[in-house]
Amino acid sequence: MASELDQEVARRRTFAIISHPDAGKTTLTEKLLLYGGAIHLAGSVKARRASRHATSDWMELEKERGISVTSSVLQFPYRGHAVNLLDTPGHQDFSEDTYRTLAAADSAVMLIDAAKGVEPQTKKLFKVCRMRGIPIFTFVNKLDRWGRAPLELMDELEQVLGIRAYPMNWPIGMGPEFRGVYDRQSKVVHVFAAEGRHGESEVAERSVSIDSPDIHAVLSERELATLKEEIELLDIGGDEFTREKVEQGQLTPMFFGSAMTNFGVRPFLDHFLELAPAPTSRLTKDGPREPTHPKFAGFVFKIQANMDPSHRDRIAFMRVVSGRYTKGMSAFHSRLGKEVRLAKPSQFLAAERTAIEDAWPGDVIGLFDPGMFRIGDTLCEGEDLLFDSVPRFSPEYFAIVRSKDPLRRKQMEKGLEQLSEEGTVQIFQQLGMGMKDPIVGVVGALQFEVLQYRVEHEYGARIMLDRLPFSHARWVVGPDFDPKKFDWEGNRQTVQDRDGLPLVLFRDDWALQHAEEKHPELKFLSAAPMLRNLANTGS
């Protein structure tokens, strides 16, 4: 008989949703929560004046702008499964948060706009999933509007992303004529009723076998003939479905529906949870760590400050990789080199938190953080373990930060420090200046707006940002690197990161290429090196 650990691992599903902005990702997230019973009414992010906002958008700025700028953790039970849904920002200026979140996911749902197909941000995030070996499931959204032919979208996935698609279901109609979906496995037609409160509640559904005489009561002769013709074409010319191809990233199960109207959401959720992988192993410096390993281990992939503004709290989000987490337990903190108590564990539905007694592999829990956690930290029971680092990427936009009110400088510095620790921005110090006129670096320019908003509203300090003309940052590794000598040219500037590691900011591609050619003895890295790796190499 399987152990309790084996059983808990088998029923968990931990996944992220990736998409281009405006493909409907937050709306789909809401509807998955609706069908999972976690919420009773779904809020649409498009309804700016509506009384409800999306559950996954908890930050005030997100509600005002109608976009997601932080990753949310959403957990709910569904038909015997424990679901961990990692909702991520769709806007490309916040893609670094998405990259980090994918490190905690076991699979990904790629959301495609039926009219627009594969878009630029989708390509970037798909590459990250493929790099991490994450199985990808595709949901073609907005079938309630006119869009491109399903076969054309299948072909685009192969031509643009290099992955074959296997439709698990097939749409019946499109736009105002979108009636439902046909399940290829069960040979059942799911026809949806359009009545309801604009997708706020579960949609009425009727399921009829395609071979049943009752099929003529739900589909017209034309709709039935078209459906049979398209299904025959798929059966003859399409790929064979195997789980192995899905797990190896060669095949993506494809679903069709409309998140806005709830058409096709429940059939997708049922199939996805059946096919998606249970928690998988994670690489460490000593090899893979299996989820069924008896000792607890996990890593921090996200830190969020001020989820509860009245308490000015900090939460470290930890993915449990192996063993069982129990409330109040201690674990070895690999970066600090000491045992620490993992206090006040919580699970989340966006900003709403629930105290828990235990957690299992695949779960994401929030730990109270007094300032001892960083993104990428490894925590392990009874041994010193180190998971592959959650990457810290090179920023592309830079600005000097100054306080508008000198009397609020301490509040500004505290805000910058905490927001850098949660990964919103990266803080660099100019040589010999400490925190006087610090430089902030971000991956997307919109992050500057979020920085100003949060420092003012969460820390009470108003700041000015003086943009700098640099476009690349590279960490420099090499025994003979002298920052002062290196700094003499005007198209670059040497700074230090939070760990005291040297970086060089370059004005453009030419300046970076020139430095690489002139200094072959140095390494210019686009992601921050791990401190332990530097210590081991003596660099």
Side-chain angles (χ1 to χ4, degrees), residues 8-17 72-76 81-87 101-109 134-135 137 272-273 276-280 282 299 301 318-321 347 360-365:
E8 293 295 341
V9 169
R11 74 186 196 93
R12 274 163 170 75
R13 300 291 185 269
T14 303
F15 68 100
I17 301 178
S72 299
V73 179
L74 308 155
Q75 294 158 313
F76 59 93
H81 290 102
V83 182
N84 293 276
L85 169 52
L86 308 176
D87 182 39
T101 300
L102 287 171
D106 298 308
S107 60
V109 173
I134 299 176
F137 297 76
F272 171 72
L273 294 180
T280 55
R282 289 293 189 276
F299 64 89
F301 69 94
M318 179 184 67
R319 155 74 190 237
V320 180
V321 175
Q347 285 189 329
W360 303 89
D363 284 341
V364 172
I365 61 175

Side-chain angles (χ1 to χ4, degrees), residues 20-279:
H20 194 81
D22 296 326
K25 181 172 56 58
T26 301
T27 305
L28 177 62
T29 299
E30 288 283 303
K31 302 315 171 67
L32 295 179
L33 294 176
L34 177 68
Y35 279 90
I39 57 176
H40 301 293
L41 286 177
S44 168
V45 292
K46 288 293 183 185
R48 303 284 175 85
R49 292 176 293 177
S51 59
R52 290 186 50 76
H53 295 280
T55 301
S56 54
D57 288 342
W58 59 269
M59 192 185 294
E60 205 61 41
L61 178 63
E62 295 177 306
K63 296 173 184 178
E64 289 178 9
R65 293 287 297 269
I67 60 172
S68 297
V69 300
T70 62
S71 294
S72 299
V73 179
L74 308 155
Q75 294 158 313
F76 59 93
Y78 183 78
R79 295 191 176 180
H81 290 102
V83 182
N84 293 276
L85 169 52
L86 308 176
D87 182 39
T88 59
H91 199 287
Q92 61 183 9
D93 281 9
F94 305 96
S95 56
E96 186 176 4
D97 200 27
T98 302
Y99 296 155
R100 287 193 296 261
T101 300
L102 287 171
D106 298 308
S107 60
V109 173
M110 179 170 64
L111 191 62
I112 302 278
D113 186 317
K116 298 176 182 176
V118 178
E119 298 177 86
Q121 182 70 356
T122 315
K123 294 181 197 175
K124 289 182 183 179
L125 296 171
F126 177 86
K127 287 181 181 177
V128 175
C129 291
R130 181 159 264 184
M131 181 178 68
R132 292 191 172 279
I134 299 176
I136 296 171
F137 297 76
T138 301
F139 185 87
V140 179
N141 193 26
K142 302 187 181 181
L143 265 293
D144 57 309
R145 308 177 187 178
W146 292 109
R148 291 156 63 181
L151 287 172
E152 183 183 336
L153 293 170
M154 288 175 62
D155 184 61
E156 184 175 29
L157 289 181
E158 183 176 7
Q159 297 300 321
V160 177
L161 300 180
I163 190 169
R164 301 276 291 179
Y166 182 91
M168 303 301 294
N169 60 27
W170 196 252
I172 302 168
M174 185 181 289
E177 299 174 3
F178 180 44
R179 299 288 310 286
V181 294
Y182 168 74
D183 187 311
R184 294 181 67 192
Q185 183 179 13
S186 64
K187 297 185 178 180
V188 166
V189 170
H190 300 281
V191 180
F192 306 105
E195 296 87 7
R197 298 175 58 190
H198 306 289
E200 287 185 347
S201 55
E202 292 187 35
V203 67
E205 174 185 325
R206 183 177 179 185
S207 301
V208 182
S209 169
I210 195 170
D211 299 320
S212 167
D214 295 337
I215 192 68
H216 298 285
V218 295
L219 294 183
S220 68
E221 289 295 335
R222 179 182 60 83
E223 289 171 332
L224 185 59
T226 301
L227 175 61
K228 287 184 174 180
E229 181 182 326
E230 291 173 339
I231 294 304
E232 184 179 7
L233 185 62
L234 286 176
D235 291 342
I236 295 173
D239 287 82
E240 179 186 357
F241 178 82
T242 67
R243 283 179 178 264
E244 290 75 20
K245 286 184 178 179
V246 176
E247 291 168 0
Q248 294 167 6
Q250 300 174 9
L251 191 69
T252 175
M254 193 176 195
F255 302 84
F256 295 86
S258 165
M260 181 64 71
T261 62
N262 297 343
F263 285 14
V265 174
R266 188 198 57 76
F268 160 70
L269 183 58
D270 288 344
H271 273 298
F272 171 72
L273 294 180
E274 178 190 339
L275 296 172

